[in-house]
Amino acid sequence: MDFQQLADVAEKWCSSTPFELIAAEETERRMDFYADPGVSFYVLCPDNGCGDSFHVWSESEDCLPFLQLAQDYISSCGKKTLHEVLEKVFKSFRPLLGLPDADDDAFEEYSADVEEEEPEADHPQMGVTLLRKSMTEEKRSLHYLCTF
């Protein structure tokens, strides 16, 4: 994707977040973002046809620790789109922006709909066994995805 298309993706993403795209430098393939109260970061975009991935960083020492989640995500297996990277950065910065954690909201909505049931006396460990089996299958699936 050429740089102008990436900048268009970034502008569209900004329209649904508190961030503004304050600079887009095509020669460096760098985009700078800012949101009040002083939350800033930049993204370095890979060249066309190059195997590199996106890179996110902040020159603000207050912001830098919050980018760890996004940096880990980018370095994990598989190619990422700019939109996916920006969404992960937004999620990372939610506490600094004074927004609730997106996962907390989803969990509260989900758990509000779940009715608690007592386990049956005949099979007290059945739920644990099924959970372990499910987690093992998820690990296999994740390993399978990461090998490609």
Side-chain angles (χ1 to χ4, degrees):
M1 187 178 288
D2 75 349
F3 188 77
Q4 185 56 50
Q5 290 174 312
L6 291 170
D8 292 343
V9 168
E11 284 286 350
K12 184 176 180 183
W13 175 79
C14 286
S15 69
S16 63
T17 70
F19 286 96
E20 292 178 51
L21 178 61
I22 58 171
E25 180 60 47
E26 187 168 3
T27 56
E28 294 182 28
R29 298 189 61 83
R30 175 179 164 151
M31 292 183 225
D32 292 65
F33 299 86
Y34 178 83
D36 284 327
V39 179
S40 63
F41 71 98
Y42 65 86
V43 177
L44 296 177
C45 303
D47 286 328
N48 288 339
C50 186
D52 293 340
S53 59
F54 292 95
H55 178 75
V56 295
W57 195 256
S58 179
E59 294 173 359
S60 165
E61 290 193 25
D62 293 334
C63 296
L64 202 51
F66 290 88
L67 282 176
Q68 188 64 48
L69 176 68
Q71 291 169 332
D72 290 347
Y73 173 73
I74 291 168
S75 64
S76 68
C77 62
K79 288 197 174 225
K80 310 298 187 289
T81 65
L82 177 60
H83 187 266
E84 291 170 334
V85 169
L86 292 173
E87 281 297 306
K88 195 58 75 170
V89 169
F90 181 45
K91 182 179 179 180
S92 299
F93 280 138
R94 288 180 74 86
L96 275 180
L97 296 167
L99 300 171
D101 186 7
D103 288 342
D104 290 345
D105 292 344
F107 178 75
E108 287 173 14
E109 289 174 21
Y110 175 76
S111 63
D113 293 337
V114 175
E115 294 180 22
E116 293 192 24
E117 295 180 17
E118 292 295 320
E120 293 181 25
D122 295 342
H123 304 288
Q125 295 295 317
M126 185 174 159
V128 173
T129 303
L130 289 175
L131 178 61
R132 285 186 184 141
K133 182 179 178 186
S134 174
M135 289 175 67
T136 302
E137 290 172 3
E138 285 180 28
K139 286 180 185 175
R140 282 189 204 133
S141 296
L142 182 59
H143 176 74
Y144 178 77
L145 290 173
C146 289
T147 57
F148 284 99

